[in-house]
Amino acid sequence: MIALALDVGSWILLVAGSFICVTGGVGMLRFPDFFTRIHAAGVTDTLGAGLIFTGLMLQAGLSLVLAKLVMILLFMLFTSPTASHAVAKAALHSGLEPQLDDVDDRSGVDS
Amino acid sequence: MFLTATAAILVVMLMALIRAFLGPTLYDRILAVNMFGTNTVLLIAVVGFLMGRPEFLDIAMVYALVNFISVIAILRYFEYSPPDETVEHK
Amino acid sequence: MRHTISLSLLLAIFWLLNSGHYTWLILSLGLLSIAIVVWVTHVMDVVDHESLPWHLTARIPGYNLWLLKEVMVASLDVAIRIWTGAISPIVVDVKASQKTDMGKVIYANSITLTPGTVSINIQDDIITVHALTRVGARNLAEGEMDRRVSRLAG
């Protein structure tokens, strides 16, 4: 009974994670400029990877495999923002301008 | 179910590769390669479960490390090269 | 000294979880590796309250749960926007009210971890943020994350 529930749960998580990953890939191709594409990559890096790894954790049961899955997931969650920020900062400093919706005075959150 | 996830991840890797080839800037390519690496980690983990060999997770962990270090290393390399080499104006 | 002991303990746990082979040969090799790593970090002088932030341990789980919720909501929002294509990119400056470097790093990393907002530059206590939508930028400017990080790491 519990085994069946775990199977169904990991099924749902894996399919949802796969869908989110594909969504990130579609965003990577669809979005208009570099800075918006970072957001698409972020979806795959955080929610997609998180869902897939949680789905695998339900399959692993209480074992060393579970510990390894947790470690890899934590490592990815720690490094992905650092890598994104490094790429974005390097792009900004090399003179790549974000393509914005319209003219904006960099304080106009309420505009 | 692992097969579904494997297929989806392979599709995403293909999309990341397309973006890496299209560019247009260097940073798009680096971002695409980073995403490709993330999906490699996911793929190895899922394939490990698909084949019933969770030892693959060790390799996945090494890939996660290599992916992060390589992105940082590539950026260190390009950050100190002249700007007109790094941004290809369309 | 405190940091050295806690680092050795962490490394030992890491080794035991990753190895899975509990024979004398492998365990002694693990002990040797831990000794070398601890010695190298001691020579490099990199182990301090920033690389091993034990003083945050008690408050981190609550913040992480809140961040997890935020990340999930933001991811779903961005996922929907990828399929509909309704985006309005904007660049805003956000003030980081944390006093320590640690706090600022946690804040900037939290901003980037949440899909829809990426911190692209930090100048003193001003974080430049690229947001996918105006709504996301406005939510960030309301400063709930800033207050929570300030409570976490000053």
Side-chain angles (χ1 to χ4, degrees), chain C residues 28-143:
Chain C
S28 48
L29 283 178
L31 210 60
L32 189 69
S33 324
I34 292 169
I36 292 175
V37 170
V38 169
W39 176 68
V40 168
T41 51
H42 187 75
V43 171
M44 287 172 75
D45 198 22
V46 287
V47 182
D48 52 17
H49 66 281
E50 277 193 348
S51 50
L52 278 178
W54 284 114
H55 56 286
L56 301 179
T57 324
R59 278 168 292 171
I60 268 193
Y63 177 73
N64 278 1
L65 275 181
W66 178 80
L67 189 64
L68 187 71
K69 189 208 91 198
E70 288 291 296
V71 166
M72 285 172 78
V73 172
S75 294
L76 287 178
D77 182 56
V78 174
I80 292 168
R81 279 170 199 284
I82 286 174
W83 291 106
T84 59
I87 56 170
S88 51
I90 186 173
V91 173
V92 287
D93 286 346
V94 185
K95 196 176 175 308
S97 61
Q98 293 79 27
K99 285 175 196 67
T100 57
D101 284 350
M102 185 87 189
K104 281 175 203 163
V105 168
I106 293 179
Y107 185 38
N109 258 352
S110 304
I111 290 175
T112 312
L113 190 63
T114 319
T117 48
V118 174
S119 57
I120 53 179
N121 202 9
I122 301 183
Q123 198 75 252
D124 297 324
D125 59 348
I126 301 292
I127 303 178
T128 308
V129 175
H130 183 278
L132 193 59
T133 62
R134 270 155 209 285
V135 186
R138 204 174 300 136
N139 285 345
L140 198 62
E142 277 169 13

Side-chain angles (χ1 to χ4, degrees), chain B residues 64-79:
Chain B
L65 291 162
V66 169
N67 186 30
F68 177 61
I69 302 290
S70 62
V71 167
I72 299 296
I74 293 171
L75 285 173
R76 292 294 286 186
Y77 176 73
F78 280 110
E79 234 182 328

